[in-house]
Amino acid sequence: MELCKLLRLPSARAGVALGVLCAPAIAAVSAPSERSAAVDVAFLELTFGVIGAILLGVVAVSSEYRDDGEDSASTRQIVASLTAVPSRMRFLAAKAAALSLTVATTAMLATVIMLTMLAGTGEDLGPGVVGRGVGLIVYWVLTALIAFGITLLTRNGVVPLVVLLLNSSVISFTYLLSRVVPAANYFPDLAGPHMFLRRSPTGVEIGPVTGGLVMLGWTVVLLAVGAFRFQRSDA
């Protein structure tokens, strides 16, 4: 049910399209400029696909609180959703599962398309490419769940969408902070890419497993706080 609700949203379909089509296209254009490290460059460019994952994570929650006219308090989707599924934690678990499945599928398709294009040019994909692909998929899913958790806290999609998209595409505030405060390298958007990137954009080396665990920790905390807020607030 939640999967169907999510995929009916035009903005969610746009998020899927951004991830599946735009990310591999950017990777395909950028990778040939550095033939000696085409696979590394392609994986780096695929990090921009989290824009689609962020959009999916935000709208999965914000669509429930969309205002529809003068009687919006009684006509918002969240009222009908909680009537159908009175258990709030089960409701959130279903939404998170639908979001994770959608983003994982999108990330997998983007990765397969990108690797297929590179293989078609005769590029040597190198050892460990499957593991790096799995790391990329996990990164997209955890990013979407972080956006999901933050939107649960704000109950509005504008702020998390603007902040997260700006940080992921226009200017990375966390990256700038990491140049001054080394501990900022353990923010999720900087630690997570170590799961699939061989060269650190910040110059600080973090192991793939450590990077994944750090990002998972951020995700669990934000989801727990968001769920607590959702459990205690009015619909």
Side-chain angles (χ1 to χ4, degrees), residues 2-4 6-7 12-13 15-16 20 56 95-109 140-141:
E2 290 300 327
L3 183 60
C4 292
L6 179 62
L7 294 178
R13 293 196 293 269
V16 171
V20 173
L56 283 162
K95 291 190 80 66
L99 173 64
S100 299
L101 178 60
T102 301
V103 174
T105 302
T106 301
M108 183 178 65
L109 288 173
W140 281 30
V141 171

Side-chain angles (χ1 to χ4, degrees), residues 2 5-6 9 11-12 54-66 76-78 81 91-92 95-96 99 144-158 160 223 226-227 229-230:
E2 290 300 327
K5 280 170 57 180
L6 179 62
L9 298 171
S11 49
I54 289 170
L55 181 58
L56 283 162
V58 170
V59 300
V61 176
S62 63
S63 61
E64 298 283 349
Y65 292 98
R66 188 176 57 222
R76 287 180 302 180
Q77 178 62 44
I78 188 64
S81 297
F91 169 67
L92 284 185
K95 291 190 80 66
L99 173 64
L145 289 174
I146 286 173
F148 181 89
I150 293 174
T151 311
L152 281 175
L153 284 170
T154 62
R155 294 174 54 142
N156 183 288
V158 176
L223 284 177
R229 154 92 160 134
F230 181 75

